[in-house]
């Protein structure tokens, strides 16, 4: 029997690493849906029958794997569910690797062929039912085990629980900083779960590998996908890479320093071999200068005076080596500010516009916003100026006769104005007078030629008044 998705034997098949809506539904039995998988790059090579490898790699829950011998020559492929030998009873697992690559993995992990257990058969329906029922109990057993350990007062954390395929044994994986006394705990576990108890202590890195998660880089944890050997990481690794010693940034989800700090360490050490020592001091005419910073990528070193370390001066490592050689000959070098050459300002043009903040915004959006603001301002000014509308219209009415200066009759100017409402003749005179006075105040400011017009032809209505 194989994976329920019917593609476990296909090397191109890739179910998700977790049981999700887009992943494989049979994640517990799919040969391509487990952590720390190995790509069989020798699957297309057919070896002769006498030299065929009889060993098979079998995967159990999470990252636990082991090698078994196919004594009965059962035709197996990646994803086959098999029943294997265990003590006591038997266990059920999934074949994760077959062929000649198994020998290479056994040699890499230094696994002895004499210690390999047997494969009994392919799992039948009864074996699968018992196995699936045992797997469903694991979450409840883990919570109950944590409560029992807390009630006893042990300083430990139960990380994971694994049932054997025939439900004859339970393995508890735990983490603890100090030694733990299990005498009372195992008695309580055996009385609560009615089966054989096995306790295994794991480190904090192994705990993160079993639990899984997403790292600060945005990808799944290395320890839960492909990393098998956990090398020690110390703070010197961060110092070589010119990183700030900040435990919150350098620590991973396991609480220890990130394993990825070791990935580029060799490249940094190779680059730093060409640099002078960071404890280098330069004897200048102005005083001593010490190295305050190193940039591995730009191959530069920053120096500052011992007396005043506010100003920093950067130099290439080739120039620094020359300056050091001069000091060894007993010569003092020029001051740092004289050695510093002004760099030519180069203007970088971003053709792709990846660094511009508004690269996703439309270009005409700013013009639209300006038009909307102008419309709103005009609308507000119109609402505020409604009671003063007559005053604004007066200069327009008075500009009409200015355009037609051919007619010198002042009565013609008054004829262009709109007719007022019907009023008594006694009331008409003062209204026209007021209009005339307002025109006299404003016309000299607008057009200087109208002053002569007023002197020659004074308005008759003013004389009548």
């Amino acid at each position: 029997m194989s994976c329920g998705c019917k593609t476990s034997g296909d090397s191109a098949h890739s179910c998700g690493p977790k049981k999700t809506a887009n992943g494989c539904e049979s994640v517990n039995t799919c040969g391509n849906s487990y952590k720390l998988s190995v790509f069989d790059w020798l699957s297309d090579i057919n070896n002769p029958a006498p030299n065929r490898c009889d060993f098979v790699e079998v995967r159990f829950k999470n990252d636990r794997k082991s090698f078994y011998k196919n004594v009965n020559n059962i035709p197996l492929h990646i994803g086959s569910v098999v029943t294997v030998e265990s003590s006591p009873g038997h266990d059920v697992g999934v074949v994760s690797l077959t062929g000649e690559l198994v020998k290479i993995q056994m040699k890499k992990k230094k696994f002895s062929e004499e210690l390999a257990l047997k494969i009994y058969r392919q799992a039948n329906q009864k074996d699968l039912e018992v196995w699936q029922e045992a797997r469903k109990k694991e979450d409840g057993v883990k919570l109950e085990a944590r409560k029992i350990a807390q009630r006893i007062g042990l300083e430990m954390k139960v990380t994971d629980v694994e049932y054997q395929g025939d439900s004859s044994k339970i393995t508890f994986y735990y983490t603890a900083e100090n030694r733990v006394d299990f005498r009372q705990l195992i008695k309580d576990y055996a009385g609560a779960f009615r089966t054989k108890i096995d306790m295994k202590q794991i480190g904090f890195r192994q705990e993160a590998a079993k639990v899984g998660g997403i790292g600060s880089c945005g990808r799944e944890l290395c320890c839960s996908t492909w990393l098998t050997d956990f090398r020690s990481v110390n703070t010197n690794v961060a110092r070589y890479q010119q990183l700030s010693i900040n435990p919150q940034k350098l620590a991973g989800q396991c609480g220890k320093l990130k394993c990825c700090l070791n990935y580029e360490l060799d490249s940094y050490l190779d680059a730093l071999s060409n640099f002078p020592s960071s404890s280098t001091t330069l004897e200048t005419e102005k005083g001593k200068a010490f190295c305050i910073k190193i940039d591995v990528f730009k191959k530069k070193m920053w120096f500052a005076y011992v007396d005043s370390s506010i100003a920093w001066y950067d130099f290439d490592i080739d120039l620094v080596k020359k300056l050091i050689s001069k000091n060894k000959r007993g010569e003092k070098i020029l001051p740092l500010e004289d050695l510093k050459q002004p760099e030519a300002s180069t203007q970088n043009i971003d053709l792709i516009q990846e660094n511009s903040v508004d690269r996703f915004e439309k270009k005409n959006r700013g013009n639209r916003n300006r038009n909307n603001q102008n419309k709103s301002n005009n609308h507000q000014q119109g609402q505020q100026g409604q009671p003063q509308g007559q005053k604004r219209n007066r200069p327009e009415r008075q500009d009409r006769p200015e355009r037609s200066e051919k007619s010198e009759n002042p009565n013609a100017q008054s004829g262009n104005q709109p007719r007022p409402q019907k009023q008594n003749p006694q009331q008409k005179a003062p209204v026209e007078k007021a209009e005339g006075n307002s025109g006299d105040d404003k016309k000299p400011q607008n057009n200087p030629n109208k002053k002569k017009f007023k002197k020659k032809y004074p308005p008759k209505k003013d004389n009548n008044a």
Side-chain angles (χ1 to χ4, degrees):
M1 299 183 68
S2 62
C3 171
C5 61
K6 299 180 181 180
T7 54
S8 59
D10 187 6
S11 60
H13 173 61
S14 177
C15 297
K18 294 183 180 181
K19 185 181 286 187
T20 58
N22 298 326
C24 179
E25 296 178 355
S26 304
V27 70
N28 293 327
T29 58
C30 177
N32 295 289
S33 302
Y34 57 89
K35 300 176 183 178
L36 303 176
S37 60
V38 178
F39 178 72
D40 190 1
W41 53 277
L42 295 175
S43 59
D44 298 334
I45 300 175
N46 295 323
N47 291 331
N51 297 330
R52 186 171 297 174
C53 180
D54 295 333
F55 293 92
V56 177
E57 185 186 60
V58 180
R59 172 191 65 89
F60 300 95
K61 185 179 179 181
N62 290 332
D63 57 346
R64 186 170 72 90
K65 295 181 182 180
S66 185
F67 299 97
Y68 292 87
K69 190 172 184 180
N70 189 2
V71 181
N72 300 323
N73 294 326
I74 304 171
L76 300 175
H77 60 273
I78 297 176
S80 299
V81 184
V82 293
T83 302
V84 298
E85 181 183 0
S86 181
S87 69
H90 65 272
D91 201 353
V92 179
V94 181
V95 176
S96 59
L97 193 63
T98 59
E100 294 296 323
L101 197 60
V102 179
K103 289 184 178 180
I104 300 175
Q105 291 292 323
M106 293 175 66
K107 185 178 180 180
K108 178 182 177 182
K109 297 181 179 180
K110 299 179 180 179
F111 187 85
S112 178
E113 296 182 0
E114 298 176 357
L115 300 177
L117 300 177
K118 302 177 184 178
I119 295 178
Y120 289 147
R121 60 185 179 274
Q122 282 192 348
N124 53 29
Q125 189 64 31
K126 184 178 179 181
D127 295 337
L128 292 176
E129 289 178 358
V130 175
W131 181 44
Q132 294 294 341
E133 290 295 329
R135 294 291 294 271
K136 292 178 182 178
K137 298 178 184 177
E138 290 178 353
D139 292 335
V141 171
K142 180 171 63 175
L143 296 176
E144 186 66 23
R146 289 178 178 177
K147 292 179 181 178
I148 294 173
Q150 186 178 6
R151 185 175 66 248
I152 298 175
L154 299 177
E155 296 181 358
M156 58 173 290
K157 177 185 176 183
V158 179
T159 302
D160 197 8
V161 175
E162 182 181 358
Y163 261 95
Q164 194 169 286
D166 57 352
S167 300
S168 62
K169 185 176 70 172
I170 305 177
T171 303
F172 293 91
Y173 298 94
Y174 71 95
T175 57
E177 295 182 357
N178 301 320
R179 185 178 177 276
V180 182
D181 188 4
F182 295 115
R183 288 178 293 182
Q184 184 63 32
L185 182 66
I186 292 176
K187 291 180 181 178
D188 295 343
Y189 281 177
F193 306 122
R194 300 291 180 180
T195 184
K196 186 179 179 181
I197 305 299
D198 189 9
M199 304 293 295
K200 286 188 177 182
Q201 184 176 4
I202 59 176
F204 294 99
R205 299 182 189 273
Q206 288 81 2
E207 179 188 9
K210 287 182 175 294
V211 175
I214 304 298
S216 59
C217 58
R219 303 185 64 179
E220 195 173 355
L221 297 179
C222 298
C223 55
S224 62
T225 51
W226 62 272
L227 189 62
T228 55
D229 54 336
F230 301 101
R231 298 180 182 177
S232 61
V233 185
N234 51 20
T235 56
N236 291 329
V237 176
R239 291 190 178 94
Y240 287 136
Q241 302 180 29
Q242 309 299 320
L243 298 175
S244 61
I245 309 301
N246 189 352
Q248 295 180 353
K249 293 183 178 180
L250 298 179
Q253 294 189 0
C254 57
K256 305 294 183 180
L257 293 177
K258 294 179 181 178
C259 297
C260 56
L261 293 175
N262 284 330
Y263 297 166
E264 299 178 355
L265 179 61
D266 295 337
S267 299
Y268 276 91
L269 292 176
D270 189 14
L272 288 173
S273 62
N274 296 326
F275 276 74
S277 177
S278 58
S279 60
T280 302
T281 58
L282 298 176
E283 293 288 342
T284 65
E285 297 177 355
K286 198 174 179 180
K288 285 187 177 182
F290 66 98
C291 180
I292 198 169
K293 181 183 175 183
I294 293 176
D295 194 334
V296 180
F297 299 102
K298 295 182 179 180
K299 296 182 178 181
K300 289 185 177 181
M301 299 178 69
W302 273 260
F303 286 88
Y305 290 108
V306 177
D307 299 334
S308 61
S309 60
I310 299 175
W312 295 6
Y313 303 93
D314 59 311
F315 304 101
D316 294 335
I317 57 174
D318 296 333
L319 180 59
V320 174
K321 290 179 180 178
K322 294 179 181 179
L323 299 177
I324 294 172
S325 62
K326 285 184 179 181
N327 288 145
K328 288 182 179 179
R329 293 195 298 266
E331 300 176 4
K332 289 188 177 181
I333 61 176
L334 297 175
L336 299 179
E337 53 269 16
D338 296 338
L339 294 172
K340 178 62 179 175
Q341 297 178 358
E343 297 180 357
S345 61
T346 58
Q347 184 177 3
N348 296 327
I349 300 174
D350 191 5
L351 299 177
I352 308 177
Q353 296 182 357
E354 292 182 351
N355 297 327
S356 60
V357 180
D358 57 346
R359 63 184 184 273
F360 296 113
E361 298 180 0
K362 295 181 180 179
K363 295 182 179 180
N364 297 328
R365 186 174 293 179
N367 296 330
R368 292 180 181 176
N369 295 333
R370 292 177 184 174
N371 295 331
N372 294 331
Q373 291 178 1
N374 293 333
K375 289 180 181 179
S376 61
N377 294 333
N378 294 333
H379 182 66
Q380 293 176 1
Q381 291 177 2
Q383 291 180 353
Q384 294 176 0
Q386 283 182 359
Q388 300 176 357
Q390 296 178 357
K391 294 181 181 179
R392 291 183 179 180
N393 293 331
R394 284 179 182 175
E396 293 178 359
R397 292 175 183 175
Q398 294 170 2
D399 290 343
R400 291 177 183 175
E402 294 173 7
R403 295 176 183 175
S404 60
E405 294 179 0
K406 294 181 182 181
S407 62
E408 296 178 355
N409 191 0
N411 295 327
Q413 295 178 0
S414 62
N416 293 330
Q417 296 179 356
R419 293 182 180 180
Q421 297 179 357
K422 292 182 179 181
Q423 296 178 354
N424 294 330
Q426 297 177 358
Q427 297 177 354
K428 187 174 182 180
V431 173
E432 293 178 354
K433 179 181 178 182
E435 292 178 356
N437 294 331
S438 62
D440 294 336
D441 296 333
K442 294 181 179 180
K443 284 179 181 178
Q445 299 175 359
N446 296 331
N447 192 354
N449 296 328
K450 284 192 175 184
K451 293 181 180 179
K452 299 178 182 180
F453 175 76
K454 289 180 181 179
K455 291 179 181 179
K456 291 180 180 180
Y457 302 98
K460 294 179 181 182
K461 293 181 181 181
D462 295 337
N463 294 330
N464 294 330

